[in-house]
Amino acid sequence: MKKIAVLTSGGDAPGMNAAVRAVVRTAIYNGMEVYGVYQGYKGMVEGNIKKLEVGDVGNIINRGGTFLSSARLPEFANPEIRKGAIENLKKLGIEGLVVIGGDGSYRGAMALSNEMDIKTIGVPGTIDNDICGTDFTIGFDTALNTIIDAIDKVRDTASSHDRTFIIEVMGRNAGDLALMAGIAGGSESIIIPEKEESLDEVMSRVRRAEERGKKHSIIILAEGVMSAQELAKIMKEQYNEDVKYTILGHIQRGGAPSAMDRVLASRLGNYAVQLLISGNSGRAVGIQNNRLVSTKFEDVFEDTHSVDLTMYEVSKQLSI
Ligand code: ADP
C-alpha cells in the first residue's frame, strides 16, 4: 500500500487531531503518502483532499476539535453519491482510508469498503463513548474532565445557597458520561437511560442529604433520559422541590484533549495504519482491557452498547 487518506466525520471530539497526527506520521514513517480529506464525507464527494506532510500535523496534538473539519452529509447513504467520492479517491491513487468518527461514520466506511477496492478502517472518535468494540472512545475522557470541572463549580454555588441542582450532560442515548461524572463529581443521584430510577428515590436521597445537614444536592442527568428543564418541572409539580438546573451543552465537546485521550488517539491512529499495511479492511479499532483490538464493522453494529452497571451500584452505595 502506497497511498492512504484520513478523514474526521460526525460530531467532533477532543483527541481527533491527535488521531489524525498518528495516522499521518505512521503512514509517512512506513514510506507511504497520506492525504487529508477535509469536512468528512462532504469533502470526499467534493474532492476537498490535500496531501499532508509531517509538519502539517505539527502543533495539533494539544488542540481540541479537528483541523480537518467535520461535516454531516446524510446523502452519503446514497450509493450514487458515494460513487463520485470513490472516484475522487481513485484519481489520486488512494488505496486505504482511515475514518475517525462515530457509528454513523462507520456505516459510511463500511459501505465504502464493500463497494470499492479501497480498504477502510474506523477509529472511534466521540465524547459519548457509545461505540461497541472498544472500552473507551477518543474524547470521552476529556469531556468527562470538563464535566467534573463544571460540577465542582456548580457545587460551590449550590452549597452557598443550600440548593439542589440538576446538571444535564451529553451522551446521546448512552449514560457513560453521566455515570462516571456522577461518581467522580460526588453527586447524590445519577439518572441514565440504561437504568430505571424512580423519582421518589431521587427525592428521598435529596431529603436524606438535607436531613443530615448537607447543604446541597447534585443530580446528574443524561440527556438521553429527558431534559433538565423537564425534570425540574416534574420535581416542582410532584414534590414541590425548587431545583435549579444547568445544561452543559457544547462546552463538553471542546477543549484541549486530556493526556489519556492523546495517548489513546495516538495508539489507535497508529494501529489503524498498521492494520491497513497488513491488508485489513472493514474493521474498527478499539481498546479492550488496555489492549488494542479490531472488530468487523458488522459486529460493531450488531452489538448493543451497554454501561457498566456495577458502577451504578457503587454510586448508590457512596451517595447514602
Ligand atoms: P457519528 O459518526 O458521530 O455517529 P453521524 O451519525 O452524523 O455521526 O454520521 C456521520 C456521517 O456519516 C453522516 O453525516 C453521513 O455522511 C455518514 N453516514 C451516516 N450513516 C450512514 C449510512 N447508513 N450510510 C452511509 N453513510 C452514512
Side-chain angles (χ1 to χ4, degrees):
M1 187 165 292
K2 285 271 168 285
K3 289 186 188 181
I4 66 165
V6 57
L7 62 82
T8 52
S9 166
D12 64 311
M16 278 185 162
N17 277 327
V20 173
R21 171 182 179 270
V23 169
V24 169
R25 294 207 169 163
T26 306
I28 294 172
Y29 177 86
N30 285 283
M32 293 189 281
E33 282 183 21
V34 57
Y35 289 76
V37 180
Y38 289 77
Q39 293 192 300
Y41 294 126
K42 181 167 180 280
M44 201 171 156
V45 171
E46 292 170 358
N48 193 356
I49 306 168
K50 291 184 194 114
K51 190 165 175 234
L52 296 173
E53 304 295 348
V54 174
D56 292 323
V57 289
N59 209 16
I60 62 166
I61 194 167
N62 50 326
R63 297 221 198 119
T66 159
F67 91 104
L68 287 178
S69 299
S70 191
R72 290 206 157 93
L73 183 74
E75 301 88 315
F76 205 69
N78 176 348
E80 282 306 307
I81 300 283
R82 289 199 296 272
K83 226 188 231 170
I86 293 168
E87 281 312 307
N88 285 335
L89 293 188
K90 292 229 159 136
K91 267 192 285 196
L92 293 166
I94 291 165
E95 303 153 281
L97 175 69
V98 177
V99 171
I100 304 164
D103 220 60
S105 307
Y106 282 8
R107 287 189 189 273
M110 183 173 79
L112 292 173
S113 75
N114 289 342
E115 283 161 11
M116 58 182 195
D117 347 311
I118 294 177
K119 297 187 176 355
T120 62
I121 298 289
V123 176
T126 165
I127 65 163
D128 302 325
N129 209 41
D130 60 351
I131 303 180
C132 294
T134 188
D135 294 343
F136 296 107
T137 57
I138 297 165
F140 174 69
D141 183 64
T142 306
L144 195 52
N145 280 290
T146 303
I147 295 169
I148 300 310
D149 189 45
I151 295 175
D152 291 348
K153 287 179 174 140
V154 169
R155 180 194 285 276
D156 288 345
T157 169
S159 66
S160 305
H161 291 274
D162 294 9
R163 272 181 181 149
T164 299
F165 259 89
I166 300 166
I167 302 180
E168 180 190 315
V169 305
M170 282 183 165
R172 296 206 292 190
N173 294 317
D176 298 55
L177 278 173
L179 182 56
M180 287 179 71
I183 292 176
S187 70
E188 266 55 56
S189 283
I190 301 171
I191 305 178
I192 53 174
E194 294 87 346
K195 181 85 187 169
E196 190 135 2
E197 170 78 313
S198 85
L199 287 184
D200 283 354
E201 168 72 14
V202 173
M203 271 320 301
S204 71
R205 275 168 190 281
V206 169
R207 300 259 150 85
R208 274 210 303 275
E210 280 168 7
E211 276 159 22
R212 68 179 169 83
K214 192 164 176 184
K215 294 197 156 219
H216 61 270
S217 283
I218 289 175
I219 300 166
I220 303 295
L221 171 68
E223 66 176 357
V225 178
M226 66 174 99
S227 74
Q229 197 177 8
E230 272 176 274
L231 181 58
K233 193 162 168 262
I234 294 172
M235 290 182 90
K236 178 68 187 166
E237 284 171 2
Q238 290 185 12
Y239 303 95
N240 198 29
E241 180 82 14
D242 280 313
V243 293
K244 299 275 173 200
Y245 62 87
T246 299
I247 301 162
L248 297 186
H250 280 80
I251 61 162
Q252 295 164 93
R253 288 252 198 98
S258 66
M260 290 300 277
D261 273 331
R262 294 181 200 194
V263 173
L264 180 64
S266 299
R267 292 176 75 187
L268 292 179
N270 175 268
Y271 187 49
V273 177
Q274 305 286 359
L275 287 183
L276 284 177
I277 292 170
S278 49
N280 289 278
S281 183
R283 303 183 78 85
V285 296
I287 189 153
Q288 291 174 5
N289 301 322
N290 204 26
R291 280 174 195 274
L292 298 174
V293 296
S294 74
T295 310
K296 280 204 305 206
F297 283 137
E298 288 88 338
D299 294 340
V300 172
F301 301 140
E302 231 164 67
D303 211 355
T304 312
H305 171 74
S306 57
V307 287
D308 181 353
L309 287 175
T310 62
M311 280 198 276
Y312 188 79
E313 191 45 41
V314 169
S315 78
K316 290 252 156 192
Q317 294 187 16
L318 300 188
S319 59
I320 39 172

